[in-house]
Amino acid sequence: MNNPMENTKYLTVGALTKYLKYKFDQDPYLTRVFLKGELSNVKHHTSGHIFFALKDGSSVIRAIMFSRYANGMKFKPEEGQSVLIEGRVSIFESSGQYQIYAEKMEMDGIGLLFEQLEKDKKQLAEQGYFSKEHKKPLPKYPKNVTIVSSETGAAIKDMLTTLSRRYPLVEVTVINTLMQGTKSRQAVIDNLEYADALGKDIVILARGGGSIEDLWTFNEKEVALKVFDMKTPVITGIGHETDTTLVDYISDMRAPTPTAAAEMAVPDQRDIMERLTQARNFISDRIFRKLDVGRNQLDALSSYYKLKNPDLLYDQQAEKLVTLKDGLDDKMQQSIRERHYRLSALKEGVKYNTPEPAIRRSLEILDDRKSRLDRSMTIRTNESKHNLTRMVESLNSLSPTNVLLRGYSYTTGGGGIIKDAADLQPGDEVQTTFARGSIVSKVTEVNEDDRNQK
């Protein structure tokens, strides 16, 4: 049986986790940690928190950035971004895993450049700079080509060799240009402008492979816009086949390598010679066939009996002409007759469909309706006059003035008409109105009607 006292030396998982968390939180080296790495498994929670992992080539650490810190960021964290993070390392008790609680996050060096590149690429695409309608066609047989590149690079030698091998007739102008470094952007822009002013058939903008930093000049928005504004068609061959820069999207033709750019710029003399040989053989074959056909036709015509007696040709054609003329005359007469019959039928139709009878009938109906309307209006007017007279007489019979003229009067007092003697008291003043004039009197005695007494 186990001794209960010995069990006290065992810790629970929660107690150990709390102890480790306490150690993490008290360690000064873990309360302020600076890390850099690549974002992975980024999840933007509806609460505004950001959950993610930070990894490098060998390790991964879980991380969280609470919304109070995430809301102040100048970019949106996404999968694969290289970032610099400042925060503290602690343990999440529920899972027992250690993680970093990020308080600040910013893009790391080249990551910032890539972010700006994506913004520029999206903006230029939305504005139509990448559209095929803006691509200038390349001349099929250019007379001269300008190369904007570095004379010290291996790429220029490969391009010159390729141009000479494929199309020796082409004239090549090389403009030595700084292709990397802080001053390379303006150097490339200036030399592209100079190359455009030369008025050559094609401009090749190329450089050999290198790191992304070495090729970054060709991701600059200003360089890309200069390529777009060029009047001369531009072929770009930047880096290796897997390298695609911003100028590649805008140029008139993108080549995977500088050597491929030279191949796109000029035709291959061997192809030209092969096509010339095929064309010569085709033309010779057509000429010989034409000659054979013409010779056979000449032989047939020379033995044709009518050519030996030309009068036969004239007689036959003259007879044919008379036949055609008679037929044409018959056709003309028949056409005239048909048109005459059609015109006569149209006249009869117009005469039959004339609206004159309908108009006369309508006028008669209109006159009849006008007469009936006049009679109806007269009857209605007389009835209205009679009704008006009766109404006036009724109103006059009910008029207070007429009642007064028959000897009646009315008495007012206290602001109204006196209808009941009981409403008056001795000493009240009343006004009596007659048909003509009125009098004011004072009540001396009030006699109530026996009908009002019960």
Side-chain angles (χ1 to χ4, degrees), residues 182-323:
T182 56
K183 297 181 180 180
S184 62
R185 178 179 65 180
Q186 193 59 45
V188 171
I189 292 174
D190 292 342
N191 285 320
L192 283 174
E193 185 173 352
Y194 173 62
D196 201 23
L198 294 178
K200 305 298 183 178
D201 292 332
I202 295 176
V203 171
I204 298 177
L205 176 62
R207 70 147 288 158
S211 66
I212 188 63
E213 291 86 353
D214 295 338
L215 302 178
W216 201 260
T217 297
F218 306 97
N219 284 323
E220 296 285 354
K221 183 178 178 181
E222 293 80 0
V223 177
L225 292 178
K226 184 59 194 176
V227 171
F228 182 83
D229 292 335
M230 296 275 286
K231 297 179 181 178
T232 310
V234 178
I235 302 175
T236 52
I238 309 299
H240 299 298
E241 186 171 356
T242 57
D243 299 320
T244 303
T245 61
L246 191 59
V247 295
D248 291 321
Y249 290 101
I250 284 187
S251 64
D252 301 298
M253 181 72 71
R254 184 254 174 183
T257 63
T259 302
E263 293 177 349
M264 291 179 179
V266 296
D268 192 339
Q269 61 176 339
R270 291 173 297 183
D271 295 337
I272 296 175
M273 292 300 297
E274 183 178 352
R275 288 197 296 271
L276 287 175
T277 300
Q278 292 175 353
R280 182 182 62 187
N281 294 337
F282 176 77
I283 293 173
S284 298
D285 184 64
R286 291 295 297 273
I287 290 175
F288 285 126
R289 288 186 181 182
K290 286 278 187 181
L291 289 174
D292 290 340
V293 172
R295 187 178 296 108
N296 292 334
Q297 289 178 344
L298 181 60
D299 292 341
L301 290 173
S302 62
S303 60
Y304 190 48
Y305 74 97
K306 289 185 178 180
L307 291 178
K308 295 179 180 180
N309 188 358
D311 289 341
L312 295 176
L313 286 174
Y314 172 77
D315 294 342
Q316 185 177 3
Q317 296 301 323
E319 183 180 357
K320 185 177 181 180
L321 179 61
V322 171
T323 302

Side-chain angles (χ1 to χ4, degrees), residues 14-26 90-91 96:
L16 177 60
T17 302
K18 287 182 180 292
Y19 175 76
L20 292 175
K21 176 175 172 55
Y22 172 78
K23 287 293 187 180
F24 271 67
D25 293 342
Q26 296 300 314
S90 184
I91 290 181

Side-chain angles (χ1 to χ4, degrees), residues 48 50 65-75 103 105:
I50 304 175
M65 175 176 274
F66 293 115
S67 59
R68 62 179 180 273
Y69 301 114
N71 291 337
M73 294 180 60
K74 297 181 180 179
F75 72 100
E103 297 175 3
M105 183 189 301

Side-chain angles (χ1 to χ4, degrees), residues 27 179 204 228 308 428 444 448:
D27 191 330
M179 303 299 281
I204 298 177
F228 182 83
K308 295 179 180 180
D428 291 343
T444 59
E448 297 185 15

Side-chain angles (χ1 to χ4, degrees), residues 389-405:
T389 300
R390 287 191 297 103
M391 290 180 183
V392 169
E393 290 175 353
S394 298
L395 287 175
N396 285 335
S397 65
L398 298 174
S399 172
T401 302
N402 288 337
V403 174
L404 293 176
L405 288 175

Side-chain angles (χ1 to χ4, degrees), residues 13-187:
V13 175
L16 177 60
T17 302
K18 287 182 180 292
Y19 175 76
L20 292 175
K21 176 175 172 55
Y22 172 78
K23 287 293 187 180
F24 271 67
D25 293 342
Q26 296 300 314
D27 191 330
Y29 294 103
L30 297 180
T31 56
R32 182 57 56 192
V33 177
F34 300 88
L35 294 178
K36 69 175 182 178
E38 180 181 320
L39 294 179
S40 176
N41 295 325
V42 181
K43 296 179 181 178
H44 295 267
H45 197 268
T46 54
S47 62
H49 307 328
I50 304 175
F51 297 89
F52 59 96
L54 192 67
K55 66 179 182 179
D56 55 18
S58 58
S59 301
V60 178
I61 182 174
R62 290 181 57 184
I64 180 174
M65 175 176 274
F66 293 115
S67 59
R68 62 179 180 273
Y69 301 114
N71 291 337
M73 294 180 60
K74 297 181 180 179
F75 72 100
K76 182 179 181 181
E78 294 179 354
E79 196 81 11
Q81 291 177 336
S82 297
V83 296
L84 303 175
I85 289 180
E86 179 179 347
R88 61 182 176 86
V89 177
S90 184
I91 290 181
F92 183 52
E93 292 186 41
S94 296
S95 62
Q97 291 184 326
Y98 81 96
Q99 59 187 24
I100 182 168
Y101 293 83
E103 297 175 3
K104 293 182 180 179
M105 183 189 301
E106 60 184 31
M107 297 291 291
D108 181 21
I110 193 67
L112 288 172
L113 293 177
F114 271 113
E115 182 184 16
Q116 185 60 44
L117 174 61
E118 290 302 318
K119 290 181 180 179
D120 292 340
K121 189 187 300 183
K122 181 179 179 182
Q123 179 188 11
L124 295 177
E126 291 175 350
Q127 294 176 351
Y129 283 89
F130 300 164
S131 299
K132 291 184 178 180
E133 60 188 35
H134 296 306
K135 306 292 184 184
K136 296 180 285 296
L138 302 179
K140 193 171 184 179
Y141 301 104
K143 296 179 180 179
N144 37 59
V145 173
T146 300
I147 300 177
V148 178
S149 188
S150 173
E151 290 182 344
T152 60
I156 189 68
K157 297 178 182 179
D158 292 339
M159 287 189 289
L160 292 175
T161 300
T162 301
L163 292 172
S164 176
R165 172 177 52 81
R166 288 176 61 87
Y167 198 58
L169 296 177
V170 71
E171 175 189 341
V172 181
T173 302
V174 178
I175 301 178
N176 186 28
T177 307
L178 187 64
M179 303 299 281
Q180 68 184 61
T182 56
K183 297 181 180 180
S184 62
R185 178 179 65 180
Q186 193 59 45

